[in-house]
Amino acid sequence: MMELDTIAAISTPLGEGAIAIVRLSGDEALTIANKMYRGKDLTTVDSHTIHYGRIVEPDTEEMIEEVMVSVMREPKTFTREDVVEINCHGGLASVNRLLELALYHGARLAEPGEFTKRAFLNGRIDLSQAEAVMDLIRAKTDKAMHVAVRQLDGKLSKLITRLRQQLIETVAHVEVNIDYPEYDDVEEMTLNLLKERIALVSDEIIKLLAMAKQGKILREGISTAIIGRPNVGKSSLMNALVQENKAIVTDIPGTTRDIIEEYVNVRGVPLKLVDTAGIRETEDLVEKIGVERSRQVLNEADLILLVLNNNDVLTDEDRQLLEIVRDMEVIVLINKTDLEATLDHDEVKRLIDGKPVVTTSLIEEAGIDQLEQAIADTFFTGGIESSDLSYVSNARHIQLLNQAKQSLSEADMAIDSEMPLDLIQIDVTRAWELLGEIIGDTVQDSLIDQLFSQFCLGK
Amino acid sequence: MYNAGHYDVIVVGAGHAGVEAAHAAVKRGAKTLMLSLNLDMIAFMPCNPSIGGPAKGVVVREIDALGGLMGKVIDKTYIQMRMLNTGKGPAVRALRAQADKPLYIQEMKYQLEQLDNLTMRQAMVEELIVEDGEVKGVLTETKAAYYAKSVIITTGTFMRGRVIIGDVSYESGPNNQRASIKLAENLESLGFDIVRFKTGTPPRVNSRSIDYSKTEIQPGDDNPRHFSYETTEMIVDQIPCWLTYTTEETHEIINENLGLSAMYSGMIKGTGPRYCPSIEDKVVRFHDKPRHQIFLEPEGRDTEEVYVQGFSTSLPEFVQHKMLRSIPGLEEAEIMRSGYAIEYDAVVPTQLWPTLEVKSISGLYTAGQINGTSGYEEAAGQGLMAGINAAAHALSLETLILDRSQAYIGVLIDDLVTKGTNEPYRLLTSRAEYRLLLRHDNADLRLTKLGHDLGLISNERYESFEQKLAAIEDEQKRLSKIVIKPNDELNAILQEIGETDLKEPLKALELMKRPKVTYDVIERILEEDSSLDIDVKEQVEIQVKYEGYITKSRQQVDRMKKMENKVIPEDIDYSAISGLATEARQKLEKVRPLSVGQASRISGVNPADVSILLVYIEQGQIKRLSEDER
Ligand SMILES: Cc1cc2nc3c(=O)[nH]c(=O)nc-3n(C[C@H](O)[C@H](O)[C@H](O)COP(=O)(O)OP(=O)(O)OC[C@H]3O[C@@H](n4cnc5c(N)ncnc54)[C@H](O)[C@@H]3O)c2cc1C
């Protein structure tokens, strides 16, 4: 934990301000920054200087960001360690990517308040401020925990739990062979068997990482389709969402307003409103392209907002739409509640079968809060049926997944060189622990619990 | 009441913990008294007649490296010796001996009788003499008051012991010895937190009633190794154990009579260990397993009694007869002693400092099963440490706390005092995060110097240890200089053992890094027949072969040490630290860890709490508890 290794974190509040900073502190701050950076050799530049350059992807050298990098050598820094600050203006997605890279190259994600803690431990901050430092750690931790829990998607958590279970069963198997060598009712774990089991888990982690790399959620948002018959209020909905959330939309310089308007951040859920133009032209989707094709188009969306008219009876077209989206992630809006209710709400609820239904009057700006809440609920309870598992968006999760993958690949290499099982098992256990950190489960005793529930042991 | 004398250290109990405690205290120069209920039962094994095995066997070697008795005595009294896990890595290889139970007792007693500074006396201790939070001595049933600066309690499963067989239950220690009631009550009145645990043992049968032809033989090793680094002579005449299995019929009998089991009728309230389930437990929990292994283990050379391993039970006696007789080979079996369960008091071990001293009573130590562990080796390891530290307390010498990277004994005690235990605690290799460093082959390398520094290891033995160290180093140097060149003869050898051909010249040491190239293979290749001790060869091979993993473990240890070296004062006032979460504060107040590292292992103390603690300690102005708050 608190080995004085090199730490990294985003040091500007997320989503606020045009410039974001990734800060590194520790012995290896310069070498790590240098690995991600193309420009001057940062390890040789003078202290307290600023440099222009590019941050690149490790394998492809593909450019991610143009940045300004400040290099500050110890001891005249905030933490009294070498400090590097990478300034970028790319908004949430790219600053996250920079952090991921720093972690990838060997930094550890800073704990809440850790920069300040180091400043203190290194004697930079006055003893009298100890109290303040402790309060800061507490406050930041509580907040970070809150965020971490919210960021953890239910599906990801289930998947990780499953992978961990596979690993622990394997480890328990190895352990039982060790601690109870004479018990014949336990099949002897072999290198081949172990290799197979490791590969299963490893493949899943690689898949997860590949998806994370797409960074779908943070970079693109949840692709959201607004559908409904002409004149039910689709454009008003679009405008309401955009206006309502303008303040939190990341302001990306250099990009056009059109694109900005497509992204909205609703209570922390980044939405990408697809096919804006189409919506504005109030076209009739089903009539235009047919039922099957509509289904396909809608299938590509992660979230569907279906708008119905409160002031009209349910038409065949509405029914068709409801039928199509019934098994998708959908929120139904019954709009125009300012007008007389001719729509049979109960019928709608029956047809859509358990999916959220929100009533709004977009003209009077009523019900938007409830809609936003419904969107947030759908996302944070993990209910979203995305076409892939793209929810690994947290830099910490990605780092842990990477490390777990690394541990498993070391285990795999050890298998190839025919190391004894109990040594290989060290790396497998490590992978299990790392995955546990993602879902906040690090109870050490669970291996022993597993051992005794899985096998019949005794004297 | 009469004054029966003054000592430096008093040890209450002469089980596996008690004997090591007394011996270690004497070796450190303490005038020591050992009191026990029955001197014919010194280091008695109330359960299986065996010592060692994975993790436990390493503990025996650690005890030996610190000058203790267990290894020496078992080396003299075993009836069978086996090295387990030979097909696995070096970290988990383990020696296990089948003991000659009566002989073990006799030899242990004899060894202790040779100690000048030790008084052994048969007595029932009923009370501790405690004044102002300090222990002063003990009172016995026969009204003797013995005084000492340190007292160690090692009363095992005797505290309010209760034996249960089916619906029969009576107050008793193991094997129908007297239970220790008054002392248990005394501990409670002194404010100890007590838990109720249980364990059990299988029936013993007469060997002459067993038909061994229906069982499989389990012989000892052809070339038996030894536990003690001092042992030079091995017992070659070994006695086998035998393997048989339960049958469907056994399981039916058990199922039919489950209602009569003390465990299932709710008569037993204590928590039993999951790793020693009774046979009825196994049949219930793993009901689709058609059979369970049963090992038949002789209790000694000069006795016909046989221990039925795998058959621990608290079912009524008449059911035990029936069950046994449904097992191949045991159709005619004559039970000599019935199986039984025993419930007893244990103290919650988080009440102890890592020295095993009781936090609330200075000079008082507890060790062994009374601390919530189970097993002879676990008891002996604690006894040794308590003996070392109680003597230190009495004579103002240096104390000894082993950390998790130094010894399994360190892991054991750290787990106990930091996390406590909610079932009888047994050591398992998986409890040790640095088990690759905690091998049985290097226990002497890890601990002999410590033992010598504390006066537990003789100069003579220490010299021979230093010679071994030098021999290992010399041999590594030598092999790192020899270059092996590829040729047909060499490659023939490599092919024979399943390795690929050598193409480029290579140092002998490097070649040994290949998985199948053992030290013996190198010897063959070099056409030498080294006179080196087998232990030395083994050490060279292990250190070379697993270098990568060993280095990795060492790095982990170094990181852990940084936090381990951040000392927390014993009397720190946690309520003065703002920002600690409530749960963390409560846990910290209870455990009172001695280092930030130890604090971080307490469940319920989160990284943020550890950070806050670290900052608080670092700022230097630490608020301490006043005398009466402690
Ligand atoms: C029925 C049974 C089954 C067991 N099964 C297993 C098992 O399956 N696996 C396993 O690992 N371990 C098992 N054990 C545990 C193992 O036997 C103990 O862990 C080990 O013997 C404990 O050693 P000890 O020194 O702590 O206590 P003990 O060996 O019990 O020694 C206690 C000593 O204290 C003395 N004493 C007690 N009270 C007083 C008093 N008031 N005054 C003076 N002297 C006193 C006794 O005379 C005795 O010498 C079992 C124990 C029992 C009883």
Side-chain angles (χ1 to χ4, degrees):
Chain A
M1 189 189 353
M2 264 145 292
E3 315 102 32
L4 294 183
D5 45 6
T6 298
I7 51 173
I10 298 172
S11 68
T12 37
L14 290 184
E16 294 170 23
I19 289 185
I21 298 176
V22 172
R23 182 191 278 161
L24 291 123
S25 175
D27 289 351
E28 291 188 52
L30 275 82
T31 38
I32 291 171
N34 217 28
K35 281 184 201 156
M36 28 196 305
Y37 172 87
R38 295 294 170 268
K40 265 193 195 152
D41 181 355
L42 296 178
T43 57
T44 57
V45 300
D46 287 341
S47 186
H48 293 77
T49 52
I50 298 187
H51 308 272
Y52 167 81
R54 289 167 300 123
I55 300 291
V56 295
E57 289 285 353
D59 310 321
T60 57
E61 290 281 318
E62 190 189 321
M63 184 177 89
I64 299 171
E65 271 288 333
E66 289 177 301
V67 294
M68 302 295 291
V69 176
S70 339
V71 172
M72 291 159 279
R73 292 173 194 277
E74 51 104 31
K76 282 195 187 157
T77 67
F78 177 59
T79 54
R80 292 217 168 154
E81 300 172 339
D82 285 349
V83 169
V84 175
E85 289 184 351
I86 306 174
N87 299 251
C88 69
H89 47 235
L92 199 54
S94 42
V95 78
N96 256 305
R97 183 68 194 133
L98 294 200
L99 179 60
E100 271 169 36
L101 275 183
L103 303 181
Y104 174 85
H105 286 297
R108 172 170 63 74
L109 189 66
E111 287 165 34
E114 196 171 4
F115 286 98
T116 316
K117 184 179 92 190
R118 285 192 176 199
F120 175 81
L121 292 179
N122 291 329
R124 164 73 203 277
I125 297 182
D126 197 293
L127 286 185
S128 64
Q129 283 168 275
E131 192 88 354
V133 177
M134 290 189 277
D135 287 347
L136 177 83
I137 294 172
R138 177 88 273 152
K140 287 217 174 188
T141 301
D142 292 344
K143 198 167 160 201
M145 254 160 47
H146 196 65
V147 172
V149 169
R150 297 208 335 166
Q151 274 174 343
L152 191 58
D153 166 64
K155 219 153 91 186
L156 174 66
S157 147
K158 263 189 220 136
L159 175 62
I160 299 279
T161 307
R162 182 164 61 73
L163 296 181
R164 292 190 86 216
Q165 186 58 26
Q166 288 174 11
L167 287 179
I168 194 120
E169 278 171 20
T170 308
V171 170
H173 199 145
V174 175
E175 291 299 324
V176 81
N177 289 158
I178 292 168
D179 274 319
Y180 295 86
E182 283 163 333
Y183 276 81
D184 65 348
D185 36 284
V186 185
E187 177 197 3
E188 186 84 16
M189 177 63 85
T190 61
L191 286 178
N192 282 337
L193 198 53
L194 188 59
K195 195 174 170 78
E196 270 170 37
R197 297 219 184 156
I198 288 177
L200 281 179
V201 176
S202 204
D203 286 351
E204 297 249 24
I205 294 180
I206 290 168
K207 245 191 262 166
L208 267 178
L209 281 168
M211 290 169 187
K213 204 169 174 191
Q214 297 166 2
K216 200 172 169 199
I217 298 241
L218 275 180
R219 258 164 274 162
E220 292 174 19
I222 304 252
S223 77
T224 307
I226 300 178
I227 59 167
R229 281 189 295 128
N231 272 326
V232 291
K234 288 176 304 213
S235 320
S236 318
L237 172 59
M238 170 94 193
N239 290 336
L241 283 175
V242 170
Q243 252 154 36
E244 205 30 45
N245 297 290
K246 220 172 218 156
I248 19 177
V249 174
T250 319
D251 186 10
I252 308 170
T255 49
T256 66
R257 251 196 81 76
D258 287 358
I259 297 171
I260 295 173
E261 282 190 350
E262 276 193 12
Y263 289 84
V264 293
N265 191 333
V266 175
R267 310 217 170 155
V269 183
L271 298 189
K272 178 184 163 201
L273 304 174
V274 291
D275 200 8
T276 326
I279 292 168
R280 286 201 173 138
E281 279 162 27
T282 63
E283 257 171 314
D284 181 341
L285 190 69
V286 182
E287 192 173 88
K288 193 176 163 215
I289 58 176
V291 177
E292 261 327 294
R293 183 81 178 90
S294 312
R295 206 187 293 274
Q296 271 175 25
V297 169
L298 293 177
N299 247 333
E300 279 161 27
D302 292 323
L303 175 66
I304 293 157
L305 303 177
L306 169 59
V307 189
L308 300 174
N309 188 349
N310 183 47
N311 191 224
D312 201 348
V313 290
L314 210 58
T315 64
D316 283 352
E317 221 171 284
D318 288 332
R319 288 204 175 85
Q320 263 179 328
L321 282 176
L322 283 165
E323 160 70 26
I324 291 173
V325 299
R326 216 173 60 170
D327 299 324
M328 302 177 182
E329 207 58 61
V330 60
I331 298 173
V332 176
L333 275 85
I334 301 182
N335 191 29
K336 305 197 183 179
T337 53
D338 47 308
L339 299 178
E340 189 193 338
T342 22
L343 189 78
D344 182 345
H345 290 212
D346 288 337
E347 189 186 1
V348 173
K349 281 183 189 148
R350 195 161 39 74
L351 287 173
I352 202 70
D353 192 23
K355 301 281 169 159
V357 176
V358 181
T359 50
T360 58
S361 166
L362 292 167
I363 302 260
E364 297 188 345
E365 294 184 14
I368 297 175
D369 238 23
Q370 285 86 325
L371 170 63
E372 293 193 355
Q373 193 52 47
I375 293 174
D377 287 349
T378 311
F379 182 71
F380 283 127
T381 54
I384 282 238
E385 273 295 318
S386 161
S387 40
D388 59 29
L389 272 163
S390 48
Y391 301 116
V392 202
S393 49
N394 180 311
R396 190 176 142 266
H397 297 167
I398 292 174
Q399 179 192 25
L400 290 165
L401 282 171
N402 261 318
Q403 288 175 343
K405 182 184 88 178
Q406 181 63 25
S407 289
L408 290 180
S409 97
E410 276 170 32
D412 189 64
M413 269 154 31
I415 291 175
D416 290 342
S417 54
E418 294 176 51
M419 279 290 170
L421 277 170
D422 50 288
L423 296 184
I424 299 166
Q425 179 266 355
I426 295 175
D427 287 317
V428 183
T429 307
R430 181 77 195 127
W432 174 77
E433 287 168 357
L434 288 162
L435 292 181
E437 282 180 41
I438 297 182
I439 55 171
D441 182 1
T442 47
V443 184
Q444 292 127 323
D445 284 341
S446 34
L447 170 60
I448 287 161
D449 293 340
Q450 181 66 33
L451 203 61
F452 294 115
S453 61
Q454 193 174 340
F455 302 105
C456 177
L457 307 164
K459 55 177 178 175
Chain B
M1 190 179 78
Y2 73 101
N3 180 340
H6 287 262
Y7 295 85
D8 295 319
V9 175
I10 296 173
V11 181
V12 182
H16 302 277
V19 295
E20 295 292 352
H23 178 254
V26 168
K27 285 282 162 176
R28 289 207 85 182
K31 185 178 167 211
T32 305
L33 169 71
M34 186 173 82
L35 298 171
S36 189
L37 297 180
N38 184 341
L39 290 185
D40 290 331
M41 304 284 257
I42 284 182
F44 170 67
M45 300 180 200
C47 202
N48 48 330
S50 78
I51 281 182
K56 290 163 168 265
V58 186
V59 170
V60 181
R61 285 227 162 152
E62 289 173 354
I63 291 170
D64 188 70
L66 289 169
L69 288 172
M70 188 173 242
K72 280 183 205 109
V73 173
I74 186 64
D75 279 352
K76 282 196 181 153
T77 58
Y78 67 87
I79 59 171
Q80 181 191 109
M81 187 72 86
R82 281 186 71 185
M83 182 73 85
L84 304 174
N85 285 338
T86 47
K88 305 194 180 83
V92 297
R93 275 172 221 156
L95 259 184
R96 194 193 54 212
Q98 292 303 133
D100 186 320
K101 264 192 198 176
L103 207 59
Y104 188 87
I105 292 176
Q106 201 181 317
E107 177 64 27
M108 187 63 85
K109 181 157 177 260
Y110 179 77
Q111 293 276 342
L112 292 170
E113 284 164 350
Q114 306 313 306
L115 299 174
D116 286 338
N117 240 340
L118 179 68
T119 307
M120 274 192 257
R121 193 155 295 163
Q122 195 161 294
M124 162 78 87
V125 171
E126 290 192 338
E127 232 175 86
L128 297 173
I129 309 172
V130 178
E131 285 168 21
D132 298 332
E134 244 177 82
V135 76
K136 299 286 177 195
V138 301
L139 286 177
T140 71
E141 186 179 39
T142 48
K143 309 291 175 231
Y146 295 95
Y147 297 93
K149 296 179 195 112
S150 305
V151 172
I152 310 173
I153 309 180
T154 66
T155 47
T157 50
F158 287 71
M159 304 298 250
R160 269 194 282 231
R162 183 153 206 90
V163 161
I164 300 133
I165 308 171
D167 55 359
V168 178
S169 138
Y170 53 91
E171 206 164 74
S172 172
N175 202 30
N176 287 349
Q177 298 177 82
R178 295 171 71 198
S180 191
I181 310 292
K182 291 228 167 113
L183 183 57
E185 288 168 357
N186 182 232
L187 287 192
E188 202 162 35
S189 71
L190 285 169
F192 275 85
D193 249 345
I194 305 285
V195 281
R196 198 85 177 137
F197 281 167
K198 77 122 203 167
T199 184
T201 193
R204 317 293 199 267
V205 297
N206 190 319
S207 178
R208 299 178 53 212
S209 66
I210 299 175
D211 179 357
Y212 289 107
S213 68
K214 294 184 178 157
T215 66
E216 294 163 34
I217 191 163
Q218 304 273 305
D221 287 345
D222 292 339
N223 296 308
R225 301 284 294 271
H226 43 86
F227 278 107
S228 173
Y229 293 95
E230 282 178 38
T231 301
T232 47
E233 269 171 53
M234 297 309 300
I235 302 167
V236 283
D237 170 23
Q238 300 184 66
I239 302 180
C241 295
W242 307 84
L243 171 63
T244 179
Y245 295 89
T246 58
T247 59
E248 300 277 348
E249 194 192 339
T250 324
H251 300 185
E252 267 164 41
I253 300 171
I254 290 173
N255 280 323
E256 275 163 24
N257 291 288
L258 261 187
L260 303 175
S261 148
M263 276 317 289
Y264 287 87
S265 68
M267 192 147 128
I268 293 185
K269 306 240 157 36
T271 314
R274 280 169 301 174
Y275 42 81
C276 294
S278 58
I279 184 71
E280 49 268 29
D281 255 346
K282 292 196 237 177
V283 169
V284 171
R285 285 185 45 218
F286 296 87
H287 51 83
D288 43 359
K289 257 179 71 87
R291 59 180 203 173
H292 296 274
Q293 284 172 311
I294 300 294
F295 290 93
L296 303 172
E297 309 180 351
E299 294 240 323
R301 253 171 232 282
D302 301 319
T303 169
E304 298 290 352
E305 246 183 296
V306 171
Y307 175 92
V308 186
Q309 197 216 304
F311 214 65
S312 168
T313 179
S314 62
L315 281 164
E317 205 168 75
F318 77 92
V319 184
Q320 295 189 22
H321 279 281
K322 255 177 138 175
M323 280 153 59
L324 268 179
R325 293 183 165 207
S326 66
I327 295 173
L330 299 180
E331 293 88 347
E332 307 284 319
E334 284 296 336
I335 291 187
M336 294 178 72
R337 301 175 210 228
S338 307
Y340 64 91
I342 185 167
E343 269 195 324
Y344 56 94
D345 282 3
V347 306
V348 173
T350 49
Q351 295 170 100
L352 310 174
W353 295 117
T355 53
L356 296 181
E357 186 178 16
V358 176
K359 284 171 194 164
S360 59
I361 302 175
S362 145
L364 181 64
Y365 297 74
T366 58
Q369 189 131 1
I370 188 175
N371 286 347
T373 59
S374 168
Y376 314 135
E377 305 80 358
E378 286 87 345
Q382 290 173 65
L384 173 82
M385 299 307 291
I388 290 172
N389 289 321
H393 177 86
L395 307 175
S396 304
L397 302 172
E398 217 182 313
T399 57
L400 177 65
I401 297 172
L402 297 173
D403 72 40
R404 302 182 72 89
S405 69
Q406 274 176 309
Y408 269 98
I409 299 176
V411 173
L412 164 73
I413 294 178
D414 184 64
D415 276 349
L416 287 176
V417 304
T418 309
K419 297 184 190 148
T421 178
N422 47 21
E423 67 179 330
Y425 177 104
R426 174 198 157 139
L427 265 178
L428 295 163
T429 64
S430 47
R431 295 201 196 263
E433 47 279 74
Y434 313 112
R435 78 176 167 202
L436 182 55
L437 304 179
L438 305 184
R439 305 187 308 269
H440 86 136
D441 60 84
N442 71 356
D444 58 338
L445 305 188
R446 290 184 272 130
L447 301 170
T448 309
K449 183 165 185 321
L450 268 177
H452 183 246
D453 291 347
L454 295 175
L456 303 165
I457 294 286
S458 68
N459 287 336
E460 190 189 353
R461 174 156 162 198
Y462 190 61
E463 268 163 37
S464 91
F465 166 71
E466 285 191 311
Q467 281 163 14
K468 177 177 168 185
L469 277 188
I472 295 168
E473 201 175 311
D474 290 350
E475 184 60 4
Q476 289 202 8
K477 268 199 202 130
R478 189 181 76 90
L479 292 177
S480 70
K481 288 194 187 118
I482 299 178
V483 176
I484 296 181
K485 299 207 181 69
N487 61 37
D488 291 351
E489 245 170 279
L490 167 74
N491 285 334
I493 295 180
L494 288 177
Q495 276 163 21
E496 186 192 316
I497 60 169
E499 284 284 351
T500 50
D501 286 359
L502 188 66
K503 303 221 167 60
E504 303 287 331
L506 200 62
K507 303 253 167 60
L509 208 62
E510 292 299 315
L511 187 60
M512 204 152 69
K513 287 190 175 157
R514 289 197 181 183
K516 290 173 185 142
V517 180
T518 58
Y519 187 94
D520 291 344
V521 171
I522 295 284
E523 267 190 330
R524 219 178 118 194
I525 292 171
L526 298 178
E527 291 176 3
E528 2 178 272
D529 191 7
S530 117
S531 57
L532 285 173
D533 196 71
I534 170 163
D535 285 349
V536 173
K537 295 183 191 173
E538 183 181 64
Q539 217 32 245
V540 171
E541 184 180 317
I542 291 172
Q543 289 184 9
V544 170
K545 247 190 183 30
Y546 304 106
E547 195 188 349
Y549 281 96
I550 292 175
T551 312
K552 225 176 6 186
S553 290
R554 285 254 155 73
Q555 286 165 350
Q556 276 179 351
V557 171
D558 288 344
R559 273 182 257 147
M560 171 210 54
K561 282 273 166 73
K562 277 189 193 154
M563 299 305 281
E564 231 53 38
N565 292 340
K566 303 248 184 240
V567 175
I568 304 178
E570 279 180 22
D571 54 356
I572 186 170
D573 180 0
Y574 287 106
S575 67
I577 310 177
S578 69
L580 281 180
T582 313
E583 188 193 358
R585 172 179 333 206
Q586 286 165 352
K587 291 279 176 66
L588 287 164
E589 276 168 353
K590 193 160 174 213
V591 175
R592 313 202 71 74
L594 296 180
S595 70
V596 177
Q598 193 192 348
S600 70
R601 286 191 293 276
I602 301 173
S603 62
V605 176
N606 297 319
D609 300 310
V610 175
S611 288
I612 288 169
L613 188 59
L614 194 63
V615 168
Y616 182 75
I617 287 166
E618 214 66 24
Q619 52 89 28
Q621 294 163 348
I622 298 170
K623 187 162 177 287
R624 317 259 174 157
L625 293 171
S626 62
E627 274 294 329
D628 47 307
E629 277 173 321
R630 269 185 243 164

